[in-house]
Amino acid sequence: MATRHFLTLLDLSPDELAYLIQRAIKIKTDLKANGPVYTPLPNRTLAMIFEKSSTRTRVSFETGMAQFGGHALFLSPRDTQLGRGEPIEDTARVLSEMVDAVMIRTFSHEGLETYASASSVPVINALSDDYHPCQLLADVMTWTELRGSVKGRTAVWVGDGNNMCHSWINAARQFGFHLRVCCPRGYEPRADIMEAAGNCVTLHHDPKEAAKDADLITTDVWASMGQEAEQAKREADFAHFQVTEAMLDTAKPDALFLHCLPAHRGEEISHTLLDDPRAVVWQEAGNRLHAQKALIEFLLLGQIEG
Ligand code: CP
Ligand code: NVA
């Protein structure tokens, strides 16, 4: 089987993504019913390169590999030769000789592509400055579990046109829903990513108008990892873009709220939003485990019948 990478949601076809969501739901159901008895990857190793902090991503990948009978290896640039200037292509070639797959959380998406081009084992994007596709697998899984097919529905992105926003745009394309992107002027997502999504996506600047009759609302921090110096300016620029219970009230009565977490209460969300029953962020976070297990299984073993 040719090596498949997962750097953005566009690396898999819509049919493959639809398969992954159903497979993740099945893996979760079986795990809850029987415990971690399904071990299709005995003694296989996932290398996890983290150049940025993480709680959910690290724990979900590491736990997923353990439940599959395999092993995950945490590598940080501080403790490896990556941090001392060894070319990433050389690291990719070396790890390809030893491990079965590599997961990378990094700054530059181009650097990630360079790594993948030199890797003969699957490479998974665990967040770059431009995309966070693993999070979207968990998000679409959660939405599907709770509301059925997402095709034809309307989601609203409120906030920064950042890596999560770009992956939501790609998700709208690949899963067939409509996305309203609502951001302050000057914080729009990349024009080429918007244009490629055609009429799956529309751009808005008024959160009240954007949230109206939506099926789902989602947001993210105003300053992403690497943008800490812009925090104060962003707090001012995003002041009118806080997601509140009142905003959710203008959406459909059965609307859901998602947030990839970590969340900053009092900034992008009201202090109490995560206590609202429409906020399903703990289920969403937990689904990182099941969605990524389905992804790893797919990249290493292909589609599982039945
Ligand atoms: N949502 C997410 O990726 O969380 P972590 O940064 O904790 O991995
Ligand atoms: N946009 C955020 C997502 C964190 C999971 C960041 O890149 O820091």
Side-chain angles (χ1 to χ4, degrees), residues 52 105 127-128 132 135 162-164 220-221 223-226 260-262:
K52 291 175 174 172
R105 169 166 286 198
L127 184 147
S128 66
H132 195 5
Q135 182 68 50
N162 64 10
N163 46 8
M164 275 297 301
D220 186 15
V221 291
S224 286
M225 290 182 277
C260 63
L261 305 177

